[in-house]
Amino acid sequence: MQKVIARVTIQSALLSLCSALVATFLTPKNPPIVALVIFSLLATPPNFLWQQYLERKFPGYRVEKQESNVEIKGAQSAGGGVTIKKKLNVRNTLMKMGIEQTLGSVVNVALHLGIVQALQGVPLSECLQVVKTQTWPLMIAGYKLWPLVSLLNHTLVPVEQRTVVGSLVNLGWGIFLALRSAR
């Protein structure tokens, strides 16, 4: 598991670096590249573990075994006339999305805002003010993108790849955040 977390963290940091570098070409004021990459390095491992926890707590799929001699579309044969079929657990998928889009996103947005400021040497009182004034506007902006990403991630992407898929989408989101941080 540690190797997987390390690989995903490096991928996420590289994507964050790419986002920040692209943003440098789009704004006269350079975004805080180092702070954005460090935040990615700090935030990815707990987010990866969070995804694993949510999947354990609310499995996205049920496995159904059926005895059959007939081939079933989308199912795997387990041999001996037994077929295994994965079926989406809609309730659990909606639970994960709800938790992610409320608790998960508030924590991630607030930490992003505060830590990126702190890594640039901004005093704690100013960091807290940024968190207080910018969390909800950034959350509202995020709600235009992340619920769809979450839905697709939970229904189409294996759990061990969700952080990477999120990081790929985050490439574009990261450009938006880098431009916002450069203000």
Side-chain angles (χ1 to χ4, degrees):
M1 174 84 97
Q2 291 175 340
K3 287 183 180 182
V4 174
I5 293 173
R7 178 179 46 80
V8 169
T9 300
I10 291 167
Q11 289 171 338
S12 187
L14 289 172
L15 288 167
S16 182
L17 175 63
C18 290
S19 296
L21 291 173
V22 169
T24 62
F25 294 105
L26 301 175
T27 182
K29 184 178 177 197
N30 286 336
I33 296 172
V34 173
L36 292 166
V37 172
I38 290 172
F39 176 77
S40 184
L41 290 168
L42 294 172
T44 300
N47 276 300
F48 180 88
L49 294 171
W50 171 251
Q51 287 294 320
Q52 297 291 316
Y53 170 78
L54 286 176
E55 189 61 33
R56 277 193 314 275
K57 195 75 173 164
F58 305 102
Y61 287 88
R62 290 189 296 262
V63 176
E64 296 179 353
K65 293 180 182 178
Q66 298 176 345
E67 289 192 34
S68 171
N69 291 329
V70 179
E71 187 175 320
I72 300 172
K73 185 178 178 183
Q76 295 178 331
S77 174
V82 175
T83 303
I84 298 174
K85 185 174 182 178
K86 286 174 45 173
K87 185 172 180 172
L88 180 66
N89 186 324
V90 174
R91 179 188 171 278
N92 283 358
T93 299
L94 292 174
M95 288 291 293
K96 285 186 286 194
M97 285 182 58
I99 292 168
E100 276 186 350
Q101 298 305 310
T102 55
L103 176 64
S105 59
V106 169
V107 169
N108 273 304
V109 167
L111 288 174
H112 170 82
L113 291 169
I115 290 173
V116 168
Q117 292 294 309
L119 289 170
Q120 295 176 82
V122 174
L124 181 60
S125 61
E126 290 180 38
C127 292
L128 293 174
Q129 186 61 29
V130 167
V131 169
K132 186 177 177 180
T133 60
Q134 294 184 23
T135 296
W136 292 114
L138 193 53
M139 293 280 300
I140 291 167
Y143 283 140
K144 296 173 184 166
L145 171 67
W146 291 109
L148 177 61
V149 172
S150 181
L151 176 65
L152 295 174
N153 237 353
H154 287 298
T155 57
L156 302 176
V157 180
V159 65
E160 63 276 0
Q161 297 299 316
R162 289 180 188 157
T163 304
V164 175
V165 170
S167 291
L168 286 170
V169 175
N170 204 34
L171 182 63
W173 182 250
I175 293 168
F176 170 76
L177 291 178
L179 290 170
R180 203 169 190 282
S181 295
R183 286 197 231 167

